[in-house]
Amino acid sequence: MDRTQYAGYTPATESRRLIAHGLPKVLPETLGGRHRFSPLSLYVGDRLAAAAFARLDDVGFFWLDIWVLSQKRGGSWSLRGGSSTAAGPGDDLLAPSPAAAVLNGHARADGTARSDLNAERWFPWPAKWVAYGIVRLSAEVGTVRFEGRHIAIPEHGLQALAWRPGQKATTVELLDQKGDPISAIPLD
């Protein structure tokens, strides 16, 4: 049974549904009424996935949820961790992405976190860490290149990513609408 404290929204089920069917073509313009949550972005890498959702809680606050999943040997996806961040009063998560001048650059990494993939095992060693986070992109960015994959950016400009931290720095290469490189940003 997939349980959660969020009314009408189960992160594991919704993340698996997003992996299976992809992002919807049309997102709601705002949350409220029958739309209490909306998928924002999805990244599926090598046995890792990150899903981001906008959520409206029972009190009326907006939240940005990022969930990281790992793929088991049988092919099923297991929720391994995640985080929720309250959206600021002027932060409309579903609004179109701003221009680079408004964002103070083409991209901003809005925070990264780490999760142990072995945390729920009886013998949780050795620890297998995975990093995940969200990148806020300007309207000029059409796609990003991350770990050899090209990812189309949603209209709102928020992209969730997951990676295995290593010795070398992890970077995201930003590409414009034509596919030409703009710049690259490091992820912590």
Side-chain angles (χ1 to χ4, degrees):
M1 183 88 175
D2 190 10
R3 298 173 191 252
T4 184
Q5 68 269 21
Y6 312 127
Y9 165 63
T10 52
T13 302
E14 294 302 330
S15 297
R16 286 186 201 111
R17 181 177 297 141
L18 200 57
I19 291 169
H21 302 291
L23 280 172
K25 300 291 182 209
V26 179
L27 297 176
E29 291 181 17
T30 187
L31 297 178
R34 60 181 211 149
H35 295 287
R36 304 298 288 180
F37 72 96
S38 175
L40 292 175
S41 67
L42 172 68
Y43 169 74
V44 180
D46 184 29
R47 299 177 55 96
L48 283 178
F53 294 89
R55 175 175 50 93
L56 178 64
D57 68 8
D58 295 334
V59 182
F61 292 118
F62 291 95
W63 295 84
L64 173 62
D65 298 337
I66 305 168
W67 305 106
V68 63
L69 298 91
S70 67
Q71 192 174 28
K72 296 180 182 178
R73 287 193 177 129
S76 64
W77 290 92
S78 177
L79 185 69
R80 296 302 186 164
S83 61
S84 295
T85 306
D91 191 11
D92 186 0
L93 298 173
L94 296 171
S97 58
V102 175
L103 193 60
N104 292 328
H106 289 290
R108 183 177 70 223
D110 275 353
T112 60
R114 293 179 186 233
S115 182
D116 184 4
L117 296 181
N118 284 344
E120 296 177 6
R121 294 179 49 189
W122 278 38
F123 300 108
W125 57 83
K128 291 184 181 176
W129 293 97
V130 61
Y132 61 96
I134 194 95
V135 178
R136 187 175 300 268
L137 301 154
S138 70
E140 291 83 3
V141 179
T143 59
V144 296
R145 186 179 305 136
F146 182 67
E147 294 187 339
R149 293 173 174 80
H150 284 80
I151 306 162
I153 301 304
E155 184 180 334
H156 50 71
L158 293 170
Q159 181 61 50
L161 299 169
W163 65 95
R164 297 191 190 279
Q167 298 295 330
K168 64 178 189 162
T170 304
T171 60
V172 178
E173 188 176 358
L174 312 177
L175 308 172
D176 65 9
Q177 306 295 341
K178 297 176 189 173
D180 297 329
I182 298 174
S183 67
I185 62 166
L187 299 173
D188 295 329

